[in-house]
């Protein structure tokens, strides 16, 4: 890994020998990882590589089988939940709710939620606050969730497939929303298969393969060393890996 990724005074996330098993299935195996503040990081890998498991561990939604995780110098637990803003890969709100109901809920629940910023994002992304979720397209629901997540001044933003449910024309708007609204003293981790769409906004890339980190470096260092894009390198590294399978 490049030396510039290892400056400990800026470290936000540290994973040490992190392992997670589901019965006899190992989803993550001995992951050592450090993330700095002020970075946008791509978490890249095929289905079943461990991306969602790593994100859920960072959120504290599941517990590691072995190893340790710390965010902001604290072990993951109740104290770190206020530091993390999480966008899951599927909608978890009731269909009868309006977008405005969700803005009210997040305003009450999170001290770092910026209602004014959320309203501005609704306008720029074409979300009508009075509209109920059940009448929205899948893409619009994705936008609502993104607004809720990015309107917080969090330390760590964990975005699981944020552009998978929207058409290509809307992806640039969503990526721009992420770029212009995240807390620059924090870190954004984006899990996705659509590498060519997000590579332009990434500072770093992490390749996960069969539950292990096989690459973690800055995007610039990867391009300089490999002489090609992150997307092209990803296709080579995973060309023999099936893209099917359950998500972990």
């Amino acid at each position: 890994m490049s030396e510039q990724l290892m400056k400990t005074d800026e470290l936000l996330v540290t994973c040490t020998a992190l392992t997670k098993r589901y019965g006899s299935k190992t989803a993550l195996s001995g992951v050592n990882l450090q993330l700095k503040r002020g970075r946008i990081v791509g978490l890249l890998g095929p289905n079943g590589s461990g991306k969602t498991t790593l994100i859920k561990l960072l959120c504290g939604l599941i517990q590691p089988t072995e190893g340790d995780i710390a965010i902001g110098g604290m072990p993951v637990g109740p104290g770190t939940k206020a530091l993390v803003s999480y966008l899951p890969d599927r909608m978890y709100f009731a269909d009868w709710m309006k977008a405005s109901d969700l803005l009210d809920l997040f305003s009450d629940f999170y001290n770092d939620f910026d209602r004014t910023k959320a309203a501005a994002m609704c306008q720029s992304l074409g979300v009508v606050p009075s509209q109920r979720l059940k009448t929205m397209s899948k893409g619009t629901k994705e936008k609502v969730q993104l607004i809720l997540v990015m309107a917080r001044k969090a330390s760590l933003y964990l975005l699981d497939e944020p552009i998978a449910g929207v058409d290509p024309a809307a992806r640039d708007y969503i990526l721009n929303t992420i770029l212009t609204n995240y807390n620059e003293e924090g870190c954004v981790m984006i899990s996705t298969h659509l590498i060519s769409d997000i590579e332009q906004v990434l500072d770093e890339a992490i390749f996960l393969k069969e539950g292990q980190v096989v690459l973690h470096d800055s995007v610039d260092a990867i391009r300089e060393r490999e002489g090609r894009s992150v997307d092209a390198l990803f296709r080579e590294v995973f060309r023999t890996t099936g893209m099917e399978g359950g998500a972990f």
Side-chain angles (χ1 to χ4, degrees), residues 27-31 49-50 206-215 238:
L28 288 178
S29 178
V31 169
S49 61
I206 299 168
F207 284 12
L208 268 183
K209 186 174 184 179
E210 297 176 354
Q212 297 182 319
V213 174
V214 296
L215 174 69
F238 295 98

Side-chain angles (χ1 to χ4, degrees), residues 126-128 131 136-145 165-166:
V127 172
V128 180
Q131 187 175 4
M136 295 180 183
S137 67
K138 181 180 179 182
T140 303
K141 291 178 182 178
E142 295 273 358
K143 291 176 183 178
V144 170
Q145 287 196 118
V166 299

Side-chain angles (χ1 to χ4, degrees), residues 1-2 4-5 33-35 39-45 54 187-192 195 198-208 213-223 225 229-231 233-234 238:
M1 187 187 302
S2 298
Q4 65 180 3
L5 299 184
L33 188 64
Q34 294 181 330
L35 300 177
R39 310 290 282 179
I40 299 179
V41 182
L43 182 62
L44 314 175
L54 177 57
C187 174
V188 179
M189 176 181 279
I190 304 174
S191 168
T192 188
I195 301 165
I198 72 161
E199 182 172 343
Q200 60 183 334
V201 308
L202 297 181
D203 297 307
E204 301 174 22
I206 299 168
F207 284 12
L208 268 183
V213 174
V214 296
L215 174 69
H216 177 204
D217 213 336
S218 73
V219 169
D220 288 342
I222 292 171
R223 290 171 179 156
R225 182 176 64 247
S229 68
V230 174
D231 182 50
L233 179 61
F234 178 88
F238 295 98

Side-chain angles (χ1 to χ4, degrees), residues 6-7 26 35 38 44 49 63 69 77 114 123 126 173 187 218:
M6 298 297 294
K7 294 173 66 176
T26 300
L35 300 177
L44 314 175
S49 61
Q63 299 300 312
I69 325 171
D114 188 333
Q123 185 172 7
Y173 289 100
C187 174
S218 73

Side-chain angles (χ1 to χ4, degrees), residues 21-166:
R21 301 187 189 95
Y22 298 98
S24 61
K25 177 69 176 181
T26 300
L28 288 178
S29 178
V31 169
N32 295 304
L33 188 64
Q34 294 181 330
L35 300 177
K36 297 194 305 180
R37 296 179 182 274
R39 310 290 282 179
I40 299 179
V41 182
L43 182 62
L44 314 175
N47 288 339
S49 61
K51 301 190 304 298
T52 296
T53 292
L54 177 57
I55 286 176
K56 288 183 176 180
L57 286 165
L58 289 167
C59 289
L61 295 175
I62 57 176
Q63 299 300 312
T65 306
E66 299 171 10
D68 300 297
I69 325 171
I71 301 175
M74 296 185 291
V76 168
T80 62
K81 289 185 181 295
L83 304 178
V84 176
S85 192
Y86 171 46
L87 175 70
D89 60 353
R90 56 179 58 90
M91 174 65 70
Y92 62 96
F93 299 114
D95 273 351
W96 57 264
M97 299 184 78
K98 300 176 183 177
S100 58
D101 295 330
L102 296 174
L103 297 181
D104 291 340
L105 177 65
F106 271 58
S107 295
D108 290 341
F109 200 78
Y110 294 106
N111 291 330
D112 62 2
F113 186 77
D114 188 333
R115 182 65 180 263
T116 301
K117 179 184 285 189
M121 281 191 277
C122 283
Q123 185 172 7
S124 66
L125 291 172
V127 172
V128 180
S130 60
Q131 187 175 4
R132 296 188 187 276
L133 295 179
K134 64 183 177 182
T135 67
M136 295 180 183
S137 67
K138 181 180 179 182
T140 303
K141 291 178 182 178
E142 295 273 358
K143 291 176 183 178
V144 170
Q145 287 196 118
L146 181 67
I147 290 165
L148 295 171
V149 168
M150 299 311 301
R152 289 184 56 198
K153 191 175 182 180
S155 293
L156 180 61
Y157 300 85
L158 299 171
L159 313 180
D160 199 352
E161 301 287 354
I163 59 175
V166 299

